[in-house]
């Protein structure tokens, strides 16, 4: 397994990005690598980082404006070759069907609950590592 995993966080809200970083910590689970974060506040920044490659997981804020994370997720899945798995942050549990529509691999609700978030992120990192092996 690689020594670090790169997690892209997309949200127009700096507080949401901070919640994600704090919930994940340096390592979301003992059997996954330490994480390094790339923060993006705009869709063009997300697409630029994905073009550079090396992103292991994307965390997208479904409540971001003007481009919501659900639409960004769907765009990534349609346009980025071998797109990384996506963990979607939703405003309400009732929006789970929208997460499915967007083709996100996992979803959690806002505000970020650290144990739930770390478990979901670790699961995506494990599946990404298994695909790479």
């Amino acid at each position: 397994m690689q020594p670090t995993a790169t997690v892209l966080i997309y949200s127009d809200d700096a507080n949401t990005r901070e919640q994600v970083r704090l919930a994940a910590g340096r390592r979301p689970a003992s059997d996954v690598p330490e994480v390094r974060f790339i923060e993006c506040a705009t869709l063009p920044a997300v697409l630029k980082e994905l073009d550079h490659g090396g992103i292991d997981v994307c965390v997208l804020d479904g409540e971001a404006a003007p481009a919501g994370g659900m639409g960004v997720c769907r765009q990534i899945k349609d346009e980025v070759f071998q797109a990384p798995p996506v963990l979607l942050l939703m405003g309400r549990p009732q929006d789970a069907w929208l997460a499915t529509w967007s083709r996100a691999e996992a979803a959690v609700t806002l505000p970020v609950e650290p144990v739930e978030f770390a478990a979901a992120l670790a699961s995506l990192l494990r599946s990404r590592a298994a695909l790479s092996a």
Side-chain angles (χ1 to χ4, degrees):
M1 185 176 285
Q2 62 190 14
T4 61
T6 303
V7 176
L8 182 144
I9 306 169
Y10 164 63
S11 179
D12 64 327
D13 184 347
N15 291 325
T16 299
R17 295 192 307 267
E18 181 181 30
Q19 284 180 38
V20 167
R21 285 192 325 272
L22 292 174
R26 290 175 22 146
R27 175 175 278 160
S30 62
D31 63 333
V32 299
E34 288 189 12
V35 293
R36 146 181 117 78
F37 297 102
I38 295 176
E39 296 185 36
C40 298
T42 65
L43 176 58
V46 170
L47 297 176
K48 180 180 174 186
E49 291 297 336
L50 289 170
D51 280 345
H52 288 156
I55 304 296
D56 294 297
V57 174
C58 292
V59 177
L60 306 178
D61 181 0
E63 305 299 308
M70 293 179 200
V72 171
C73 180
R74 186 145 177 122
Q75 181 176 350
I76 289 170
K77 298 299 181 176
D78 286 341
E79 297 177 3
V80 176
F81 179 68
Q82 294 181 336
V86 172
L87 173 52
L88 191 59
L89 305 175
M90 305 178 302
R92 315 172 304 152
Q94 297 87 344
D95 291 336
W97 71 273
L98 286 169
T100 302
W101 168 84
S102 70
R103 292 186 258 164
E105 284 78 4
V108 297
T109 55
L110 289 168
V112 175
E113 197 284 311
V115 173
E116 177 188 24
F117 178 82
L121 179 59
S123 176
L124 293 179
L125 289 170
R126 283 184 206 104
S127 66
R128 183 75 168 181
L131 290 175
S132 299

